[in-house]
Amino acid sequence: MGCGNDFKRREKLHAHNLRKGSSYVFCSKSCFGRHFSMYLALILFFIGSLLPSFFIETSSISFSRLIQGSGVGAINLLCWANINDFFDGKSAARVMSFLGGLLSVTIVISPLLGGFLSYYYGWRSIFIFFLAFSFL
């Protein structure tokens, strides 16, 4: 089966789980494997985090945020897919609940950290932090 057919089938099955911009993951995952897809997503996140620190115009920053969001959406999607592949039943539910709790804490901490960085170091420091975070 070709990559295009597999992509169309998976897109229909999982359309409610996709975020905009991360739909390329299914095709790249089925054709090249998860490692390639994860590296591609990390590279998109890295590029999307690097570009806004150099731009001044809002339209350029919005475009780079689109790239960054595509990378983050793909990473999120691949993480949930990997959990389903490596864990079964109750252990998968346990890992997913742990990651859901971690995501909830991150949603609370992120605006505080962003406000702190923006106030003391300027708005570009937020993107530099994302850039450093992408290496983890």
Side-chain angles (χ1 to χ4, degrees):
M1 181 186 319
C3 183
N5 293 334
D6 191 42
F7 176 72
K8 288 178 185 175
R9 181 178 58 83
R10 289 176 187 237
E11 185 180 45
K12 287 179 184 177
L13 290 174
H14 301 290
H16 62 280
N17 290 332
L18 289 176
R19 295 186 180 189
K20 292 190 182 212
S22 65
S23 60
Y24 66 88
V25 172
F26 284 122
C27 187
S28 66
K29 180 183 81 68
S30 61
C31 290
F32 304 111
R34 290 230 172 110
H35 288 306
F36 175 78
S37 299
M38 187 62 85
Y39 287 131
L40 179 64
L42 286 170
I43 288 170
L44 281 175
F45 179 68
F46 176 79
I47 291 171
S49 299
L50 179 67
L51 291 178
S53 60
F54 298 114
F55 293 144
I56 296 174
E57 296 178 6
T58 308
S59 60
S60 302
I61 293 173
S62 297
F63 177 71
S64 61
R65 293 285 293 176
L66 176 70
I67 294 171
Q68 185 183 31
S70 297
V72 168
I75 291 168
N76 187 16
L77 187 66
L78 285 168
C79 286
W80 293 111
N82 283 333
I83 290 171
N84 284 326
D85 287 347
F86 293 121
F87 297 99
D88 291 328
K90 289 185 179 183
S91 59
R94 190 176 320 127
V95 172
M96 285 185 183
S97 66
F98 174 75
L99 286 179
L102 187 64
L103 183 63
S104 298
V105 170
T106 304
I107 290 172
V108 171
I109 293 174
S110 296
L112 297 172
L113 180 63
F116 173 80
L117 289 172
S118 179
Y119 183 76
Y120 288 106
Y121 301 108
W123 64 270
R124 289 189 173 133
S125 65
I126 297 170
F127 296 104
I128 294 169
F129 175 78
F130 283 146
L131 184 65
F133 185 73
S134 68
F135 285 114
L136 295 178

